């Protein structure tokens, strides 16, 4: 039997090793640094056996980082309590300018004991797999845009211009296939740039096809379908939001959901003075970007287009009503803010913030329907 009832363990996780410190339950007790251990499962098991000889209950915490959630899942699978915390939300003293692995592990153990750490949402393995697929598609789209820019910039340097809109439609692609550069070396460069565009296009198409197939058996697929009832939220956007955020119903209210996405304005108030500044940009940047892109659709008057109507047909009446209410409110708000002379980017951000409220409402309706 251990000498303590509970021990709080701070883990500073790296690729090759983990720095470990533990704090006994007594607040006056000093935090003890155990040193680095390996990252293999047998190293973790050895640590757990050693700590179990000191206490009946073990509480672990480590910062979210590039090593992912494998350690969290392994510890919880063994029946142990583990917490993953966001580095940006860990309290830090303003004058503390020294950062070492030892200090980080000791700090985590101390804050875990004092209750000053807040856990982040850890996705299920299947949810994380969909999220990885969404991010791979996003990276492929970014690579495709860069490849197109390189090709168009190269042709512009050679004064080879396309008459019309160079938007990569069929006519534009036929024109590109007939391009001949004046010097053979430049022709090789052109062909390589064109080949890169073709490869990136095929990569994006492959990932999008795979995404459509995989999500059909996903537990959050009903939410993906329901979110597509909103204007500006098509399949890839809906999947991105669901994969990045997971169970949206864990947020108690829309305001909490907006703050999590970093769409609420930062504030600096003192006395009778209240100053609101740009949005905090906290939380998930992938979901926030998708929402801001969707918000641009509300700059036009409210209207149920044929494509939206097709997506609405299979949705419950309550979800359809929420989607139409969103159109009426957000389109009207866009016009009002624009009429007041607000910058378009500021207006779109405000629309994205309110759009999250309707997404929260739809997520709750889908959960209630299930």
């Amino acid at each position: 039997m251990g000498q303590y009832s509970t021990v709080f363990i701070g883990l500073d996780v790296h690729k090759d090793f983990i720095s470990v410190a533990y704090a006994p339950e007594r607040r006056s007790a000093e935090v003890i640094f155990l040193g680095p251990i390996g990252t293999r499962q047998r190293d973790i098991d050895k640590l757990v056996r050693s700590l179990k000889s000191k206490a009946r209950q073990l509480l672990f915490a480590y910062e979210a980082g590039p090593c992912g959630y494998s350690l969290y899942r392994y510890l919880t699978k063994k029946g142990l309590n583990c917490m993953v915390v966001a580095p940006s939300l860990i309290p830090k003293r303003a004058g503390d300018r020294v950062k070492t692995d030892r200090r980080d592990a000791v700090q985590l153990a101390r804050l875990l004991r004092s209750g000053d750490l807040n856990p982040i949402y850890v996705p299920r393995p299947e949810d994380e797999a969909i999220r990885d697929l969404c991010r791979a598609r996003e990276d492929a789209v970014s690579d495709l845009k860069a490849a197109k820019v390189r090709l168009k910039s190269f042709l512009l340097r050679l004064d080879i211009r396309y008459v019309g809109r160079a938007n990569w439609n069929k006519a534009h692609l036929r024109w590109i296939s007939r391009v001949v550069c004046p010097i053979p070396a430049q022709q090789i460069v052109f062909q390589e740039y064109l080949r890169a565009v073709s490869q990136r296009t095929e990569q994006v198409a492959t990932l999008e096809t795979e995404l459509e197939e995989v999500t059909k058996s996903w537990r959050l697929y009903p939410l993906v379908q329901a979110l597509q009832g909103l204007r500006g939220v098509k399949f890839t956007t809906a999947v991105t939001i669901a994969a990045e955020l997971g169970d949206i119903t864990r947020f108690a209210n829309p305001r909490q959901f907006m703050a999590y996405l970093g769409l609420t304005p930062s504030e600096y108030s003192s006395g009778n003075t209240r100053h609101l500044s740009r949005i905090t940009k906290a939380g998930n940047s992938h979901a926030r970007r998708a929402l801001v892109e969707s918000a641009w659709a509300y700059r036009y008057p409210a209207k149920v287009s044929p494509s939206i109507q097709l997506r609405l047909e299979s949705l419950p009446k309550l979800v359809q009503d929420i989607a139409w209410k969103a159109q009426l409110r957000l389109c009207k708000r866009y016009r009002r803010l624009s009429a007041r002379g607000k910058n378009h980017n500021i207006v779109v951000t405000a629309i994205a913030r309110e759009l999250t409220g309707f997404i929260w409402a739809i997520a709750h309706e889908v959960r209630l329907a299930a």
Side-chain angles (χ1 to χ4, degrees), residues 55-348:
R56 294 190 298 270
Q57 184 179 13
L58 306 179
L59 299 179
F60 293 84
Y62 71 93
E63 295 182 16
C67 294
Y69 306 113
S70 299
L71 178 58
Y72 167 86
R73 292 179 179 131
Y74 182 70
L75 291 172
T76 54
K77 188 176 180 180
K78 293 175 68 67
L80 300 169
N81 292 319
C82 184
M83 178 188 299
V84 184
V85 297
S88 60
L89 299 180
I90 297 177
K92 291 182 175 63
R93 288 178 293 183
D96 191 359
R97 301 299 176 87
V98 179
K99 183 186 184 303
T100 64
D101 298 338
R102 179 186 184 122
R103 280 178 172 245
D104 288 346
V106 169
Q107 176 84 337
L108 284 172
R110 183 181 293 114
L111 292 173
L112 182 61
R113 180 175 63 183
S114 63
D116 291 327
L117 293 179
N118 296 314
I120 65 171
Y121 173 78
V122 178
R124 298 184 183 182
E126 57 272 19
D127 296 350
E128 189 177 18
I130 300 291
R131 188 187 69 179
D132 291 338
L133 196 55
C134 289
R135 291 186 179 182
R137 177 200 165 272
E138 186 178 333
D139 292 338
V141 170
S142 178
D143 293 342
L144 175 59
K145 289 180 180 178
K148 288 180 177 179
V149 168
R150 282 193 293 267
L151 177 57
K152 292 170 70 174
S153 299
F154 173 73
L155 294 177
L156 184 60
R157 288 199 303 272
L158 300 182
D159 198 27
I160 301 177
R161 304 169 185 268
Y162 176 71
V163 180
R165 291 190 61 187
N167 56 1
W168 303 93
N169 55 17
K170 293 182 179 180
H172 184 211
L173 292 175
R174 285 196 298 269
W175 174 82
I176 288 179
S177 65
R178 295 192 297 267
V179 168
V180 177
C181 298
I183 301 176
Q186 292 174 328
Q187 186 67 30
I188 293 175
V189 174
F190 167 74
Q191 293 297 338
E192 289 299 323
Y193 280 162
L194 182 58
R195 183 182 176 188
V197 171
S198 301
Q199 289 176 341
R200 299 293 182 270
T201 303
E202 293 176 3
Q203 185 182 23
V204 171
T206 300
L207 290 171
E208 289 181 347
T209 302
E210 188 65 24
L211 194 59
E212 291 180 2
E213 290 296 324
V214 172
T215 51
K216 290 179 181 178
S217 57
W218 189 28
R219 70 182 184 93
L220 294 179
Y221 186 60
L223 176 62
V224 173
Q225 290 181 304
L227 291 180
Q228 292 181 70
L230 291 167
R231 184 174 187 172
V233 181
K234 294 185 179 180
F235 174 76
T236 52
T237 303
V239 173
T240 299
I241 293 172
E244 294 291 343
L245 302 177
D247 184 14
I248 298 176
T249 59
R250 71 182 187 275
F251 299 102
N253 52 66
R255 190 175 296 275
Q256 188 183 82
F257 185 30
M258 297 171 190
Y260 174 81
L261 287 169
L263 288 169
T264 53
S266 55
E267 181 176 351
Y268 183 82
S269 300
S270 179
N272 297 325
T273 304
R274 188 185 184 210
H275 178 69
L276 298 179
S277 186
R278 61 186 63 187
I279 60 174
T280 61
K281 292 187 178 180
N284 193 293
S285 60
H286 299 274
R288 182 171 61 251
R289 177 198 55 77
L291 287 168
V292 171
E293 287 184 358
S294 299
W296 282 100
Y298 293 92
R299 66 187 186 274
Y300 303 111
K303 176 185 176 183
V304 179
S305 64
S307 59
I308 296 177
Q309 181 61 42
L310 189 63
R311 302 200 299 264
L312 287 170
E313 288 176 356
S314 59
L315 299 181
K317 180 66 165 56
L318 286 174
V319 174
Q320 295 184 27
D321 292 342
I322 293 173
W324 177 239
K325 184 179 178 180
Q327 278 217 56
L328 292 176
R329 176 177 175 81
L330 299 182
C331 293
K332 184 178 181 180
R333 181 160 175 76
Y334 188 97
R335 292 196 303 272
R336 283 185 173 181
L337 291 175
S338 298
R340 287 165 54 186
K342 294 286 185 180
N343 181 277
H344 290 301
N345 292 329
I346 295 177
V347 175
V348 168

